[in-house]
Amino acid sequence: MAKKKNKFVSAFEQFGRSFLLPVSVLPGAGIIKGIGTAFSNSNTLKMFPVLKNDIVQFIMKFLIVLGDTAFNNLPIIFAVGVAVGLAKREKGSAALSGLLGFIVLHYVLNFLLVQSHKLVDTSKLSSNEAKLALSNAMQTKVLGIQTMDLSVFGGIIVGIVVYFVHKWAVKVQLPTVIGFFSGPRFVPIATIVIMSAVATGLFFVWPPVQKGISVLSIFILKSGPIGTFLYGLVERALLPFGLHHGLNWPVRTTELGGAWEIGGQRVVGTINAYLASLADPNVQHVDPSITRFNGGKFVYFMFGLSGAAYAMYKTADEKKRKVVGSLLFAAAGTSFLTGITEPIEFTFLFVAPILYVVHAFLAGSALFVMHMLGAGVATPTGHGFINWVIYGVLQGPKTAWWLVPIVGVVYFFIYYIVFRFMIVKFDLKTPGREDSDEVKLSNKHEARAKLGVEIATIGKEEPKATDITVAGDDEVMETVQKTPEGIRKQATELIKAHGGPDNIEAVDACITRLRINVKDKSVVDQERITTKLGAMGFAESDMQMQSIYGSHANVLKMEIQDMLGMEE
């Protein structure tokens, strides 16, 4: 039974990770659009009249258009991105098939709407009237095609269908006469046929599904602050297993997160609605229901986890504080500035799992409090200081950005007091409180015993990981992020630590984790990965080994793939 559960979790995790490729476009596009809206909104122009210069405003409007190219085309980005993210090989064929499948989907839906006389005629309507008529009929225009409004779900569906078609068709060998079309070349052909059938099915199935989503969306919106708290709690609880992506992005980009009328247009998804609110000069204050799942994250990403780190530092043995502080403060600083929380969260997750439970509840409460206070600040991704300035401070009073530091300082002390009390009261072996002289975190077997789970266990993190300087024959990390030679040497050692080339089946990476699938996990040297090869943490999900390297993970992925001759 456990084996089936592992497969389900692994599949869901893979599905969630496939979102990383399409959403990786959003931070850059969001920053570009954020700067454009920040320096062109009416509040900013009143404060700084010099910005009313025609050339400056032309540039700002140009930046907004650039940002909109991503946010207005999320469905097709997801169609291609999910297909590529799920495909294990011949990713070029998967990308082409994802694009082709998306176009087929909407051309077939348009054809069926015309033939069934359900296509809304907007030729004699004004722009606003046409938008309203299309919205009421659950129709929209995609790439100039009038079709059913599937929103981002359409792209996700295409990506998943193309993945299964690709997985089967890429292995098909056609008769010699038409053998040229075998393998990767057969995938787009098969996609056209199968996607047309899927589109026909969606024509009949989607209307009731859409109504169900709308009902669920209304339920989520009406759940109020309690629903906000539960979302924050569950989202943090899913993080250790890599399943939080599957929760976050449907809420941020589809109707599951809600639907709002902004500037005369119906906008779905919390991030889409937030950016539309920033761009609309008539919006004086961003609706807190838009930012309810987002704004509170600034509080615990920037301040709460810093308080937790300080509590662990203050409760460490005085002789070990210097070593402990180098790890904890670096991790806390990363979380504060960029919103990358995994180093600090994984520091205490399995060493003292009760602290992570407390953290999950406090995270949910932060979302609850910010929702109750009417905070209107959010970001497409990365809830750190940088994005808080761009998406909050620079957008003016409509975001109520000042609530973040006010509530944040309170949460810094809440986290500090609660964590310090728990650590001292229950004598938790956080960094620097171990019985041995060596500063270390508990291993994966101890973690499993504490949590009683087998699906995914996080092992240990070595405080010296942030120094990435080791001694003796294992000195492979000294210049790893400075020279190609250092990176290649580290990649070579990681291959050895995972049992050699013959034991490695696949290599991938998300934002912070290097993910290597192996045939035999008993030969993986976790101890070496965390103590000698610079990993800030280690996770095991079935046969996938996950090493936390921060933004360096993707660099290592590409280097290892090149060395092993693996395709993307």
Side-chain angles (χ1 to χ4, degrees):
M1 192 70 183
K3 191 173 183 181
K4 290 182 179 179
K5 192 174 183 182
N6 281 357
K7 286 184 177 180
F8 171 78
V9 171
S10 178
F12 193 81
E13 181 185 17
Q14 183 183 11
F15 171 66
R17 287 202 319 273
S18 71
F19 286 179
L20 290 175
L21 180 59
V23 303
S24 66
V25 177
L26 301 187
I31 289 173
I32 291 172
K33 183 172 181 177
I35 292 172
T37 56
F39 293 106
S40 63
N41 71 63
S42 57
N43 292 314
T44 304
L45 294 179
K46 287 178 183 177
M47 294 173 61
F48 305 101
V50 68
L51 294 175
K52 292 182 180 180
N53 180 280
D54 289 343
I55 296 177
V56 172
Q57 288 307 301
F58 174 83
I59 294 172
M60 293 305 108
K61 290 176 182 177
F62 182 71
L63 293 179
I64 292 173
V65 169
L66 288 180
D68 282 339
T69 58
F71 290 100
N72 291 347
N73 292 286
L74 281 177
I76 193 169
I77 291 173
F78 269 82
V80 176
V82 170
V84 172
L86 289 173
K88 294 189 180 349
R89 53 181 170 173
E90 296 292 347
K91 290 181 180 282
S93 175
L96 175 61
S97 300
L99 175 61
L100 185 60
F102 186 82
I103 295 172
V104 168
L105 168 67
H106 289 293
Y107 265 102
V108 170
L109 288 177
N110 173 269
F111 172 79
L112 294 174
L113 286 171
V114 171
Q115 295 301 313
S116 62
H117 306 292
K118 293 181 179 179
L119 193 75
V120 175
D121 183 6
T122 61
S123 59
K124 298 180 181 180
L125 302 177
S126 66
S127 177
N128 289 335
E129 289 174 339
K131 291 175 182 177
L132 181 60
L134 289 173
S135 177
N136 290 336
M138 292 191 295
Q139 295 180 21
T140 188
K141 286 192 176 181
V142 177
L143 300 179
I145 310 165
Q146 188 170 325
T147 177
M148 294 174 68
D149 188 1
L150 306 183
S151 69
V152 175
F153 283 117
I156 295 173
I157 291 169
V158 170
I160 294 172
V161 171
V162 168
Y163 161 66
F164 284 108
V165 173
H166 179 273
K167 186 177 180 180
W168 159 71
V170 78
K171 300 176 183 177
V172 171
Q173 290 297 317
L174 298 174
T176 305
V177 178
I178 53 174
F180 173 80
F181 297 103
S182 297
R185 298 185 184 90
F186 182 60
V187 178
I189 299 171
T191 297
I192 292 175
V193 177
I194 295 175
M195 224 29 249
S196 63
V198 171
T200 304
L202 284 173
F203 179 77
F204 297 101
V205 172
W206 189 253
V209 171
Q210 179 70 33
K211 290 179 181 178
I213 293 173
S214 298
V215 171
L216 182 58
S217 170
I218 293 171
F219 173 78
I220 292 173
L221 286 173
K222 289 186 175 180
S223 65
I226 296 299
T228 305
F229 167 76
L230 292 175
Y231 175 90
L233 172 64
V234 172
E235 195 265 347
R236 285 297 96 180
L238 292 176
L239 173 69
F241 306 105
L243 306 181
H244 55 303
H245 301 301
L247 174 67
N248 282 332
W249 289 105
V251 168
R252 294 179 185 179
T253 57
T254 74
E255 195 171 346
L256 280 177
W260 295 267
E261 197 76 24
I262 302 172
Q265 296 188 41
R266 183 175 181 271
V267 183
V268 300
T270 58
I271 291 304
N272 298 327
Y274 182 67
L275 293 175
S277 298
L278 294 183
D280 190 342
N282 296 317
V283 175
Q284 299 301 313
H285 182 74
V286 178
D287 187 345
S289 68
I290 295 174
T291 61
R292 58 188 290 206
F293 300 135
N294 206 294
K297 289 188 175 184
F298 285 108
V299 170
Y300 67 85
F301 276 39
M302 292 169 59
F303 297 94
L305 290 174
S306 296
Y310 189 56
M312 288 188 282
Y313 169 75
K314 292 293 286 184
T315 54
D317 188 307
E318 290 187 7
K319 296 178 181 178
K320 302 177 182 178
R321 281 186 184 175
K322 185 175 181 180
V323 177
V324 171
S326 65
L327 169 66
L328 293 178
F329 293 150
T334 299
S335 180
F336 183 88
L337 286 174
T338 67
I340 297 175
T341 64
E342 286 187 342
I344 183 66
E345 286 179 313
F346 276 73
T347 296
F348 61 77
L349 173 57
F350 284 123
V351 175
I354 186 63
L355 290 180
Y356 194 84
V357 174
V358 172
H359 165 54
F361 275 92
L362 289 176
S365 74
L367 267 65
F368 173 88
V369 170
M370 291 291 276
H371 186 185
M372 290 292 289
L373 292 175
V377 61
T379 174
T381 184
H383 297 76
F385 178 80
I386 296 172
N387 278 357
W388 171 66
V389 171
I390 293 173
Y391 292 103
V393 178
L394 294 180
Q395 304 301 330
K398 67 164 62 178
T399 65
W401 54 265
W402 53 84
L403 288 173
V404 171
I406 293 173
V407 177
V409 169
V410 174
Y411 264 80
F412 175 89
F413 287 106
I414 291 176
Y415 266 80
Y416 172 74
I417 293 170
V418 171
F419 269 58
R420 185 185 179 98
F421 171 78
M422 296 288 291
I423 292 169
V424 175
K425 177 70 174 177
F426 300 106
D427 191 24
L428 300 176
K429 301 303 181 183
T430 49
R433 293 175 59 84
E434 301 91 343
D435 295 329
S436 65
D437 292 332
E438 182 183 6
V439 178
K440 67 173 186 176
L441 306 186
S442 60
N443 59 45
K444 62 181 180 181
H445 304 294
E446 293 169 335
R448 283 175 174 170
K450 289 178 182 178
L451 291 180
V453 297
E454 296 182 357
I455 295 172
T457 56
I458 307 298
K460 61 183 178 180
E461 299 172 17
E462 174 58 48
K464 293 180 182 178
T466 52
D467 286 338
I468 42 182
T469 301
V470 294
D473 295 335
D474 293 318
E475 194 170 355
V476 299
M477 301 297 300
E478 189 171 9
T479 57
V480 66
Q481 293 182 342
K482 297 180 181 179
T483 67
E485 293 78 11
I487 295 171
R488 189 165 185 82
K489 191 171 184 181
Q490 185 189 22
T492 301
E493 295 301 322
L494 279 168
I495 292 172
K496 293 178 183 177
H498 284 83
D502 293 338
N503 195 45
I504 297 175
E505 291 190 320
V507 181
D508 200 356
C510 66
I511 296 175
T512 58
R513 286 184 255 186
L514 173 67
R515 302 169 184 266
I516 298 181
N517 289 59
V518 298
K519 299 174 184 176
D520 181 3
K521 60 184 177 182
S522 66
V523 300
V524 176
D525 192 347
Q526 175 193 329
E527 178 78 17
R528 179 173 172 76
I529 293 170
T530 54
T531 61
K532 302 297 184 183
L533 300 181
M536 291 180 285
F538 186 87
E540 180 183 314
S541 180
D542 198 11
M543 301 304 287
Q544 184 182 87
M545 307 296 108
Q546 304 173 4
S547 305
I548 302 172
Y549 282 101
S551 59
H552 191 54
N554 198 57
V555 175
L556 289 172
K557 178 201 79 170
M558 292 186 290
E559 186 67 31
I560 293 173
Q561 285 179 333
D562 287 344
M563 294 176 71
L564 297 180
M566 291 183 172
E567 295 184 3
E568 275 283 345

